[in-house]
Amino acid sequence: MAGEKATRGGMVHARIREEIFQGTLAPGQRLRLVELAQRFAVSQSVVREALTRLSEQGLVKAVPQQGFSVVTISLRDLDELTEARIEVETLVLRRAMERGDLRWEASVVAAHHHLAGVDAVRPDGTLDSEWFTVHEHFHHALLSACGNARLLAVATGLRDEATLYRRWSRPVGHDTERDVAAEHQDIVDAVLRRDADAAAGLLARHIDRTSQALRTAIAKDPATTA
């Protein structure tokens, strides 16, 4: 029974997590135990455990006596995180370009080729989670030759913290006209010709573009923000 409950709990956790990432469950939306339990055909205790896990992961907010809701966008956190990422990731990219060899260049090209072969959006209009996994691998490949494990860990940690904002750029930020593939190609081209200034500038704009879409969404609908 315990194993079966854990399996059900894992399924509910995964489904709610994905719906938050897809924007199906919107920022600030109340998550009612009764409704979710009926929808997933599980007990309320299973739903509560799943929501508690999501709360610990920063995707759900738990308020005593009020229950659970999807987190909202913190404009201050978004701006601070974006600034930190630009400062750190561009620094690490510069180090990688100084120290990376032909094997590193090949790994960047391979990661980009893989990314270019995966569609970010499924035919039904929802986001493909596989694309985000491949996307992270590409960005890690860009930074991987920096030669400083601590700097790389900081950059990776900041990218991990920005996961939700990155996932929300399209369903919440409505950033649908952006040519992300061209942005990636431009970064790779600058890296391969070893133009560090151009590569760092392109990466900075690439990072800020995602945040800008969410800033625009907040301006139009303040309810999305904390």
Side-chain angles (χ1 to χ4, degrees):
M1 289 294 292
E4 183 180 345
K5 183 177 180 181
T7 300
R8 292 199 304 269
M11 178 272 292
V12 172
H13 170 271
R15 289 280 298 277
I16 296 175
R17 180 176 181 270
E18 184 62 20
E19 289 187 12
I20 291 173
F21 281 156
Q22 293 284 352
T24 306
L25 294 172
Q29 183 172 334
R30 289 288 301 275
L31 301 171
R32 304 181 188 281
L33 295 178
V34 174
E35 294 176 1
L36 291 171
Q38 291 176 343
R39 187 173 149 211
F40 295 120
V42 296
S43 68
Q44 291 185 42
S45 65
V46 169
V47 174
R48 184 180 290 105
E49 290 177 10
L51 293 178
T52 299
R53 283 182 61 195
L54 290 165
S55 175
E56 293 168 351
Q57 295 166 352
L59 300 178
V60 165
K61 182 179 180 181
V63 179
Q65 311 304 319
Q66 295 184 31
F68 298 90
S69 61
V70 179
V71 295
T72 52
I73 301 168
S74 166
L75 183 57
R76 179 175 179 177
D77 180 60
L78 174 65
D79 287 341
E80 290 182 354
L81 182 55
T82 301
E83 181 180 33
R85 286 187 58 208
I86 289 173
E87 291 289 335
V88 173
E89 288 191 47
T90 56
L91 169 64
V92 177
L93 179 60
R94 287 178 181 274
R95 294 292 181 272
M97 292 179 68
E98 290 172 5
R99 299 165 179 171
D101 56 14
L102 287 177
R103 182 176 297 180
W104 168 68
E105 287 188 8
S107 73
V108 171
V109 171
H112 178 251
H113 181 71
H114 189 184
L115 177 61
V118 179
D119 291 329
V121 182
R122 302 186 185 102
D124 63 2
T126 59
L127 297 172
D128 190 336
S129 296
E130 180 189 357
W131 183 88
F132 286 94
T133 300
V134 178
H135 179 252
E136 287 311 293
H137 178 69
F138 165 69
H139 276 275
H140 181 78
L142 284 173
L143 308 180
S144 62
C146 73
N148 187 315
R150 289 183 181 274
L151 278 176
L152 183 59
V154 172
T156 301
L158 290 171
R159 286 195 61 81
D160 288 345
E161 288 187 46
T163 297
L164 181 58
Y165 293 144
R166 197 156 48 247
R167 293 291 300 256
W168 271 354
S169 65
R170 187 180 180 94
V172 177
H174 306 294
D175 197 10
T176 57
E177 302 302 317
R178 178 181 182 183
D179 191 347
V180 178
E183 293 176 29
H184 291 146
Q185 184 66 64
D186 288 344
I187 293 171
V188 172
D189 290 344
V191 165
L192 294 180
R193 65 175 184 267
R194 298 288 177 153
D195 187 339
D197 288 340
L202 289 164
L203 179 59
R205 288 193 289 277
H206 181 65
I207 293 170
D208 191 62
R209 174 62 188 267
T210 297
S211 300
Q212 188 54 50
L214 293 174
R215 294 185 192 106
T216 301
I218 291 170
K220 291 181 179 178
D221 182 11
T224 61
T225 187

Short mmCIF file of all heavy atoms in Angstrom, two decimals, residues 144-195:
data_model
loop_
_atom_site.label_atom_id
_atom_site.label_comp_id
_atom_site.label_asym_id
_atom_site.label_seq_id
_atom_site.Cartn_x
_atom_site.Cartn_y
_atom_site.Cartn_z
N SER A 144 31.34 24.79 -20.22
CA SER A 144 32.02 23.65 -19.60
C SER A 144 33.53 23.73 -19.60
O SER A 144 34.19 23.07 -18.79
CB SER A 144 31.57 22.34 -20.26
OG SER A 144 31.94 22.33 -21.64
N ALA A 145 34.12 24.51 -20.50
CA ALA A 145 35.58 24.56 -20.59
C ALA A 145 36.19 25.70 -19.80
O ALA A 145 37.35 26.04 -19.99
CB ALA A 145 36.01 24.67 -22.05
N CYS A 146 35.43 26.28 -18.88
CA CYS A 146 35.93 27.47 -18.16
C CYS A 146 37.14 27.16 -17.29
O CYS A 146 37.90 28.07 -16.93
CB CYS A 146 34.82 28.11 -17.34
SG CYS A 146 34.35 27.19 -15.86
N GLY A 147 37.30 25.90 -16.89
CA GLY A 147 38.46 25.52 -16.10
C GLY A 147 38.38 25.87 -14.63
O GLY A 147 39.37 25.76 -13.90
N ASN A 148 37.19 26.28 -14.18
CA ASN A 148 37.01 26.63 -12.76
C ASN A 148 35.70 26.00 -12.29
O ASN A 148 34.61 26.50 -12.61
CB ASN A 148 36.98 28.15 -12.59
CG ASN A 148 36.96 28.58 -11.13
OD1 ASN A 148 36.22 28.04 -10.32
ND2 ASN A 148 37.79 29.57 -10.79
N ALA A 149 35.81 24.92 -11.53
CA ALA A 149 34.62 24.18 -11.11
C ALA A 149 33.70 25.01 -10.24
O ALA A 149 32.47 24.86 -10.30
CB ALA A 149 35.05 22.91 -10.36
N ARG A 150 34.27 25.91 -9.45
CA ARG A 150 33.42 26.74 -8.58
C ARG A 150 32.60 27.75 -9.39
O ARG A 150 31.41 27.94 -9.14
CB ARG A 150 34.29 27.47 -7.54
CG ARG A 150 34.87 26.54 -6.48
CD ARG A 150 35.66 27.30 -5.42
NE ARG A 150 36.23 26.41 -4.43
CZ ARG A 150 35.59 25.99 -3.35
NH1 ARG A 150 34.34 26.37 -3.15
NH2 ARG A 150 36.18 25.19 -2.48
N LEU A 151 33.24 28.39 -10.34
CA LEU A 151 32.50 29.32 -11.19
C LEU A 151 31.41 28.60 -11.98
O LEU A 151 30.29 29.10 -12.12
CB LEU A 151 33.45 30.03 -12.15
CG LEU A 151 34.23 31.23 -11.63
CD1 LEU A 151 35.20 31.74 -12.69
CD2 LEU A 151 33.29 32.35 -11.19
N LEU A 152 31.75 27.44 -12.51
CA LEU A 152 30.77 26.67 -13.27
C LEU A 152 29.59 26.27 -12.39
O LEU A 152 28.44 26.32 -12.83
CB LEU A 152 31.43 25.43 -13.88
CG LEU A 152 30.55 24.56 -14.77
CD1 LEU A 152 30.01 25.36 -15.95
CD2 LEU A 152 31.34 23.35 -15.28
N ALA A 153 29.87 25.89 -11.14
CA ALA A 153 28.81 25.50 -10.22
C ALA A 153 27.89 26.69 -9.91
O ALA A 153 26.66 26.54 -9.82
CB ALA A 153 29.40 24.94 -8.94
N VAL A 154 28.47 27.87 -9.73
CA VAL A 154 27.65 29.06 -9.48
C VAL A 154 26.76 29.36 -10.67
O VAL A 154 25.56 29.62 -10.52
CB VAL A 154 28.55 30.28 -9.16
CG1 VAL A 154 27.72 31.56 -9.09
CG2 VAL A 154 29.29 30.07 -7.83
N ALA A 155 27.34 29.32 -11.87
CA ALA A 155 26.56 29.58 -13.08
C ALA A 155 25.43 28.57 -13.24
O ALA A 155 24.29 28.93 -13.56
CB ALA A 155 27.47 29.56 -14.31
N THR A 156 25.74 27.30 -13.00
CA THR A 156 24.73 26.24 -13.11
C THR A 156 23.63 26.42 -12.08
O THR A 156 22.44 26.25 -12.37
CB THR A 156 25.39 24.86 -12.95
OG1 THR A 156 26.39 24.69 -13.96
CG2 THR A 156 24.35 23.75 -13.09
N GLY A 157 24.01 26.78 -10.86
CA GLY A 157 23.03 27.00 -9.80
C GLY A 157 22.07 28.14 -10.13
O GLY A 157 20.86 28.04 -9.90
N LEU A 158 22.61 29.22 -10.68
CA LEU A 158 21.76 30.35 -11.05
C LEU A 158 20.82 29.97 -12.19
O LEU A 158 19.65 30.36 -12.20
CB LEU A 158 22.63 31.54 -11.47
CG LEU A 158 23.40 32.23 -10.33
CD1 LEU A 158 24.38 33.24 -10.90
CD2 LEU A 158 22.44 32.92 -9.36
N ARG A 159 21.31 29.18 -13.14
CA ARG A 159 20.43 28.72 -14.23
C ARG A 159 19.31 27.84 -13.67
O ARG A 159 18.17 27.93 -14.09
CB ARG A 159 21.23 27.93 -15.28
CG ARG A 159 22.11 28.80 -16.16
CD ARG A 159 22.58 28.03 -17.39
NE ARG A 159 21.44 27.59 -18.19
CZ ARG A 159 20.80 28.38 -19.04
NH1 ARG A 159 21.16 29.62 -19.22
NH2 ARG A 159 19.77 27.91 -19.73
N ASP A 160 19.65 26.98 -12.72
CA ASP A 160 18.63 26.12 -12.10
C ASP A 160 17.56 26.97 -11.41
O ASP A 160 16.36 26.66 -11.47
CB ASP A 160 19.27 25.17 -11.09
CG ASP A 160 20.09 24.07 -11.75
OD1 ASP A 160 19.92 23.87 -12.96
OD2 ASP A 160 20.88 23.42 -11.04
N GLU A 161 17.98 28.03 -10.72
CA GLU A 161 17.02 28.90 -10.03
C GLU A 161 16.08 29.60 -11.01
O GLU A 161 14.95 29.96 -10.65
CB GLU A 161 17.76 29.95 -9.21
CG GLU A 161 18.45 29.41 -7.97
CD GLU A 161 19.03 30.52 -7.11
OE1 GLU A 161 18.32 31.52 -6.88
OE2 GLU A 161 20.19 30.39 -6.68
N ALA A 162 16.54 29.79 -12.24
CA ALA A 162 15.73 30.49 -13.25
C ALA A 162 14.84 29.55 -14.06
O ALA A 162 14.17 30.00 -14.99
CB ALA A 162 16.65 31.26 -14.19
N THR A 163 14.80 28.27 -13.70
CA THR A 163 14.05 27.30 -14.49
C THR A 163 12.59 27.69 -14.69
O THR A 163 12.06 27.67 -15.80
CB THR A 163 14.13 25.90 -13.85
OG1 THR A 163 15.48 25.45 -13.84
CG2 THR A 163 13.27 24.90 -14.61
N LEU A 164 11.91 28.06 -13.60
CA LEU A 164 10.49 28.39 -13.71
C LEU A 164 10.28 29.62 -14.59
O LEU A 164 9.39 29.63 -15.45
CB LEU A 164 9.88 28.62 -12.33
CG LEU A 164 8.38 28.94 -12.31
CD1 LEU A 164 7.58 27.82 -12.97
CD2 LEU A 164 7.90 29.16 -10.88
N TYR A 165 11.08 30.65 -14.38
CA TYR A 165 10.96 31.85 -15.22
C TYR A 165 11.18 31.50 -16.69
O TYR A 165 10.48 32.01 -17.57
CB TYR A 165 11.96 32.91 -14.78
CG TYR A 165 11.70 33.48 -13.40
CD1 TYR A 165 12.75 33.82 -12.56
CD2 TYR A 165 10.41 33.70 -12.95
CE1 TYR A 165 12.53 34.35 -11.30
CE2 TYR A 165 10.16 34.24 -11.69
CZ TYR A 165 11.23 34.56 -10.86
OH TYR A 165 11.00 35.09 -9.62
N ARG A 166 12.17 30.64 -16.96
CA ARG A 166 12.46 30.24 -18.33
C ARG A 166 11.27 29.48 -18.92
O ARG A 166 10.89 29.71 -20.08
CB ARG A 166 13.72 29.38 -18.34
CG ARG A 166 14.37 29.22 -19.67
CD ARG A 166 15.85 28.88 -19.56
NE ARG A 166 16.15 27.81 -18.62
CZ ARG A 166 16.82 27.98 -17.47
NH1 ARG A 166 17.24 29.16 -17.12
NH2 ARG A 166 17.07 26.96 -16.68
N ARG A 167 10.69 28.59 -18.14
CA ARG A 167 9.55 27.81 -18.62
C ARG A 167 8.32 28.69 -18.84
O ARG A 167 7.48 28.41 -19.70
CB ARG A 167 9.22 26.69 -17.63
CG ARG A 167 10.28 25.61 -17.50
CD ARG A 167 10.40 24.74 -18.75
NE ARG A 167 9.19 24.05 -19.10
CZ ARG A 167 8.97 22.75 -18.89
NH1 ARG A 167 9.91 22.01 -18.35
NH2 ARG A 167 7.85 22.19 -19.24
N TRP A 168 8.20 29.79 -18.07
CA TRP A 168 7.03 30.66 -18.16
C TRP A 168 7.15 31.72 -19.25
O TRP A 168 6.19 32.44 -19.50
CB TRP A 168 6.79 31.33 -16.81
CG TRP A 168 5.91 30.53 -15.90
CD1 TRP A 168 5.24 29.38 -16.18
CD2 TRP A 168 5.60 30.84 -14.54
NE1 TRP A 168 4.53 28.95 -15.10
CE2 TRP A 168 4.73 29.82 -14.06
CE3 TRP A 168 5.97 31.85 -13.67
CZ2 TRP A 168 4.23 29.81 -12.76
CZ3 TRP A 168 5.47 31.85 -12.38
CH2 TRP A 168 4.61 30.83 -11.93
N SER A 169 8.29 31.84 -19.89
CA SER A 169 8.48 32.94 -20.84
C SER A 169 7.46 32.88 -21.98
O SER A 169 7.01 33.93 -22.46
CB SER A 169 9.90 32.94 -21.40
OG SER A 169 10.15 31.79 -22.17
N ARG A 170 7.09 31.68 -22.38
CA ARG A 170 6.12 31.56 -23.47
C ARG A 170 4.67 31.55 -22.97
O ARG A 170 3.88 32.38 -23.40
CB ARG A 170 6.41 30.32 -24.31
CG ARG A 170 5.56 30.22 -25.56
CD ARG A 170 5.88 28.97 -26.36
NE ARG A 170 5.06 28.87 -27.54
CZ ARG A 170 5.42 29.32 -28.74
NH1 ARG A 170 6.58 29.91 -28.91
NH2 ARG A 170 4.62 29.19 -29.79
N PRO A 171 4.28 30.63 -22.06
CA PRO A 171 2.87 30.59 -21.67
C PRO A 171 2.41 31.79 -20.84
O PRO A 171 1.24 32.17 -20.90
CB PRO A 171 2.75 29.29 -20.87
CG PRO A 171 4.12 29.06 -20.34
CD PRO A 171 5.05 29.54 -21.41
N VAL A 172 3.31 32.38 -20.05
CA VAL A 172 2.94 33.53 -19.22
C VAL A 172 3.42 34.83 -19.85
O VAL A 172 2.70 35.82 -19.89
CB VAL A 172 3.53 33.39 -17.79
CG1 VAL A 172 3.22 34.62 -16.96
CG2 VAL A 172 2.99 32.13 -17.12
N GLY A 173 4.67 34.82 -20.35
CA GLY A 173 5.22 36.02 -20.98
C GLY A 173 4.78 36.22 -22.41
O GLY A 173 4.99 37.27 -23.00
N HIS A 174 4.14 35.19 -23.01
CA HIS A 174 3.64 35.24 -24.39
C HIS A 174 4.74 35.65 -25.37
O HIS A 174 4.50 36.40 -26.32
CB HIS A 174 2.45 36.20 -24.50
CG HIS A 174 1.35 35.88 -23.54
ND1 HIS A 174 0.61 34.72 -23.61
CD2 HIS A 174 0.89 36.55 -22.43
CE1 HIS A 174 -0.27 34.69 -22.61
NE2 HIS A 174 -0.11 35.78 -21.89
N ASP A 175 5.94 35.13 -25.15
CA ASP A 175 7.08 35.46 -26.00
C ASP A 175 7.12 34.49 -27.18
O ASP A 175 8.00 33.63 -27.29
CB ASP A 175 8.37 35.35 -25.17
CG ASP A 175 9.55 36.04 -25.82
OD1 ASP A 175 9.32 36.76 -26.81
OD2 ASP A 175 10.68 35.88 -25.33
N THR A 176 6.14 34.64 -28.08
CA THR A 176 5.96 33.66 -29.16
C THR A 176 6.61 34.08 -30.48
O THR A 176 6.77 33.27 -31.38
CB THR A 176 4.46 33.44 -29.42
OG1 THR A 176 3.83 34.70 -29.72
CG2 THR A 176 3.78 32.84 -28.19
N GLU A 177 6.98 35.35 -30.62
CA GLU A 177 7.55 35.83 -31.87
C GLU A 177 9.06 35.74 -31.89
O GLU A 177 9.70 36.07 -32.88
CB GLU A 177 7.12 37.29 -32.11
CG GLU A 177 5.62 37.50 -32.15
CD GLU A 177 4.95 36.65 -33.22
OE1 GLU A 177 5.50 36.59 -34.34
OE2 GLU A 177 3.90 36.06 -32.94
N ARG A 178 9.64 35.27 -30.82
CA ARG A 178 11.10 35.24 -30.68
C ARG A 178 11.72 34.11 -31.49
O ARG A 178 11.21 32.99 -31.51
CB ARG A 178 11.41 35.06 -29.19
CG ARG A 178 12.86 34.95 -28.82
CD ARG A 178 12.96 34.76 -27.32
NE ARG A 178 14.33 34.69 -26.85
CZ ARG A 178 14.67 34.47 -25.59
NH1 ARG A 178 13.71 34.29 -24.69
NH2 ARG A 178 15.93 34.45 -25.24
N ASP A 179 12.83 34.38 -32.13
CA ASP A 179 13.55 33.36 -32.89
C ASP A 179 14.70 32.84 -32.02
O ASP A 179 15.86 33.26 -32.17
CB ASP A 179 14.07 33.93 -34.19
CG ASP A 179 14.59 32.85 -35.14
OD1 ASP A 179 14.77 31.70 -34.68
OD2 ASP A 179 14.82 33.16 -36.32
N VAL A 180 14.38 31.93 -31.11
CA VAL A 180 15.38 31.42 -30.17
C VAL A 180 16.46 30.64 -30.91
O VAL A 180 17.64 30.71 -30.55
CB VAL A 180 14.70 30.53 -29.10
CG1 VAL A 180 15.74 29.96 -28.15
CG2 VAL A 180 13.68 31.33 -28.32
N ALA A 181 16.07 29.92 -31.96
CA ALA A 181 17.04 29.14 -32.72
C ALA A 181 18.11 30.05 -33.32
O ALA A 181 19.30 29.71 -33.33
CB ALA A 181 16.34 28.34 -33.81
N ALA A 182 17.70 31.20 -33.82
CA ALA A 182 18.66 32.15 -34.41
C ALA A 182 19.58 32.70 -33.32
O ALA A 182 20.78 32.91 -33.58
CB ALA A 182 17.92 33.29 -35.11
N GLU A 183 19.04 32.95 -32.13
CA GLU A 183 19.87 33.43 -31.02
C GLU A 183 20.95 32.41 -30.68
O GLU A 183 22.13 32.76 -30.49
CB GLU A 183 19.00 33.72 -29.80
CG GLU A 183 18.04 34.88 -29.97
CD GLU A 183 17.13 35.07 -28.76
OE1 GLU A 183 17.56 34.72 -27.63
OE2 GLU A 183 16.00 35.56 -28.93
N HIS A 184 20.57 31.15 -30.62
CA HIS A 184 21.55 30.10 -30.32
C HIS A 184 22.60 30.00 -31.43
O HIS A 184 23.80 29.86 -31.15
CB HIS A 184 20.84 28.75 -30.15
CG HIS A 184 20.01 28.66 -28.93
ND1 HIS A 184 18.83 27.95 -28.87
CD2 HIS A 184 20.19 29.19 -27.69
CE1 HIS A 184 18.32 28.05 -27.66
NE2 HIS A 184 19.12 28.79 -26.93
N GLN A 185 22.16 30.07 -32.68
CA GLN A 185 23.09 29.98 -33.79
C GLN A 185 24.10 31.13 -33.76
O GLN A 185 25.31 30.93 -34.00
CB GLN A 185 22.33 30.01 -35.12
CG GLN A 185 23.23 29.83 -36.35
CD GLN A 185 23.87 28.45 -36.39
OE1 GLN A 185 23.17 27.44 -36.51
NE2 GLN A 185 25.20 28.39 -36.29
N ASP A 186 23.62 32.34 -33.45
CA ASP A 186 24.51 33.50 -33.39
C ASP A 186 25.56 33.33 -32.28
O ASP A 186 26.73 33.70 -32.47
CB ASP A 186 23.71 34.77 -33.14
CG ASP A 186 22.89 35.20 -34.36
OD1 ASP A 186 23.17 34.70 -35.47
OD2 ASP A 186 21.96 36.01 -34.20
N ILE A 187 25.14 32.78 -31.14
CA ILE A 187 26.09 32.55 -30.05
C ILE A 187 27.16 31.55 -30.47
O ILE A 187 28.35 31.76 -30.25
CB ILE A 187 25.35 32.07 -28.78
CG1 ILE A 187 24.46 33.19 -28.22
CG2 ILE A 187 26.35 31.63 -27.71
CD1 ILE A 187 23.53 32.73 -27.10
N VAL A 188 26.72 30.46 -31.08
CA VAL A 188 27.67 29.43 -31.53
C VAL A 188 28.64 30.01 -32.56
O VAL A 188 29.85 29.76 -32.49
CB VAL A 188 26.92 28.22 -32.13
CG1 VAL A 188 27.90 27.25 -32.78
CG2 VAL A 188 26.13 27.50 -31.04
N ASP A 189 28.14 30.79 -33.51
CA ASP A 189 29.01 31.38 -34.53
C ASP A 189 30.08 32.26 -33.89
O ASP A 189 31.26 32.22 -34.28
CB ASP A 189 28.18 32.20 -35.52
CG ASP A 189 27.30 31.33 -36.41
OD1 ASP A 189 27.54 30.11 -36.47
OD2 ASP A 189 26.36 31.88 -37.02
N ALA A 190 29.67 33.07 -32.89
CA ALA A 190 30.64 33.95 -32.22
C ALA A 190 31.66 33.13 -31.44
O ALA A 190 32.85 33.47 -31.39
CB ALA A 190 29.90 34.91 -31.30
N VAL A 191 31.20 32.04 -30.81
CA VAL A 191 32.11 31.17 -30.06
C VAL A 191 33.14 30.55 -31.00
O VAL A 191 34.34 30.53 -30.70
CB VAL A 191 31.31 30.07 -29.32
CG1 VAL A 191 32.24 28.95 -28.84
CG2 VAL A 191 30.58 30.68 -28.12
N LEU A 192 32.71 30.04 -32.14
CA LEU A 192 33.61 29.35 -33.06
C LEU A 192 34.64 30.28 -33.71
O LEU A 192 35.74 29.85 -34.05
CB LEU A 192 32.81 28.62 -34.13
CG LEU A 192 31.93 27.46 -33.63
CD1 LEU A 192 31.19 26.82 -34.80
CD2 LEU A 192 32.76 26.42 -32.90
N ARG A 193 34.26 31.55 -33.86
CA ARG A 193 35.26 32.48 -34.40
C ARG A 193 36.06 33.16 -33.27
O ARG A 193 36.86 34.05 -33.53
CB ARG A 193 34.61 33.52 -35.31
CG ARG A 193 33.65 34.49 -34.66
CD ARG A 193 33.17 35.54 -35.68
NE ARG A 193 32.31 36.53 -35.06
CZ ARG A 193 31.00 36.48 -35.00
NH1 ARG A 193 30.36 35.45 -35.57
NH2 ARG A 193 30.29 37.42 -34.39
N ARG A 194 35.80 32.71 -32.03
CA ARG A 194 36.52 33.15 -30.84
C ARG A 194 36.41 34.66 -30.63
O ARG A 194 37.36 35.32 -30.22
CB ARG A 194 37.99 32.74 -30.93
CG ARG A 194 38.20 31.22 -30.99
CD ARG A 194 37.92 30.55 -29.68
NE ARG A 194 38.06 29.09 -29.78
CZ ARG A 194 38.38 28.30 -28.76
NH1 ARG A 194 38.60 28.81 -27.57
NH2 ARG A 194 38.46 26.99 -28.92
N ASP A 195 35.21 35.18 -30.87
CA ASP A 195 34.93 36.60 -30.62
C ASP A 195 34.24 36.69 -29.27
O ASP A 195 33.00 36.62 -29.18
CB ASP A 195 34.05 37.16 -31.74
CG ASP A 195 33.86 38.67 -31.64
OD1 ASP A 195 34.06 39.22 -30.54
OD2 ASP A 195 33.51 39.29 -32.66
#
